[in-house]
Amino acid sequence: MGNIDLFDAVIAAAGNSIRMGADKVLLPVGNDSVLLRTVSVFYNHPKINRIVLVIKKNDFDSAFSIIKALDTERFRIVEGGDSRAESVEKGLSYCVCEGVLIHDGARPFVSPKLIDSVIESVLRHGSGVPALPLPDSVRKVDNGVITGIEDREKMRIVQTPQGFLLNEIKAAYSLRGKELFTDDSEIYARFIKPPAVVNGEERNIKITTLGNYFGLNSNIGIGYDIHRLVPFRKLILGGIEIASEKGALAHSDGDAVIHALIDALLSAAGQRDIGCRFPDTDPAYRDIDSTILLSGVMEIYNAKNFKISNVSVTVIIDKPKLADYIPLMALKLSNILGIPKEAVAIAAKTTEGTSETVSAYAAVIIT
Ligand code: MG
């Protein structure tokens, strides 16, 4: 088991979304759809080979438009069956690697790290199922009364991706007959052996109701920065050099827009601020291009599967006027942040001649 280099991924997205009343995998999350967000995590993971998307026939056009910007050779699009089990079984027939991960299309917040630990478990034990402890007590209820008390310590909430050896999970599926199963680990447990468990992730929720779709998993962040304006320094804002008699006095390039933005992004992601991450006592950051620091923050975002919905910045400086530079700044930032330029709003204000500084406020919403 120890030497499987690549895994295929089956994304089960053919459900009826009965509780949503809308096709949940096509709903937007920030600037993406749920499905694109889910697919991207597997697509960008170095251990994932083929991605088998099991969807409803009605969603074929949407799925093609979602993957057309990617390497379509790596995808197989398969029409789902009447049940999840039937859909997954069809998907498995398109897999070619020795190992496979099976994932719910409606879990867009899965992280690359969780994929890593499921894969590691498959290599060690032949299977890997993410699970979380229960936040509340559990009771067995029959006819409106409690009839049993489960030991909560022994109970887990099961998530996906669930990883298996392809031949074993296919064998389990072929044996399942007419029995109803809720997930792959149940089928595996019934016909192969007890599957191994790995730690699940709180953020890796399954979108099942409109209630947990709207607003859930979105975080807000705010940041601020200020630099004194002095002669013989460049003025760089939003990664763009601006013609100016004075520039920002700073250890780095003094880009107040990017520094405010970095603090907004770090705070939204629950991280310490820019001074902790990139200390100005560290010679490595002397005169550093702040776009490099911002790209470093985006690496944290990618590792955690955080995405930016939109960014709003206010820059405050008396001279020069920034109006002509704002579209360039928005374009530059949107490229680094991986979002449309329309999702980056920048406003410019003055201090009415009361200050020899450049400062910026930034706010972000992320999912
Ligand atoms: Mg600064």
Side-chain angles (χ1 to χ4, degrees), residues 54 75 109 115 122 124 235 249 254 258 361 365:
V54 191
F75 287 89
F109 304 112
I115 294 176
V122 175
R124 264 188 208 189
L235 180 62
L249 182 62
I258 290 187
Y361 294 90
I365 287 191

Side-chain angles (χ1 to χ4, degrees), residues 225-227 250 252 254-256 259 274:
D225 193 36
I226 184 165
H227 289 277
S252 67
D255 189 328
H259 296 173
I274 186 169

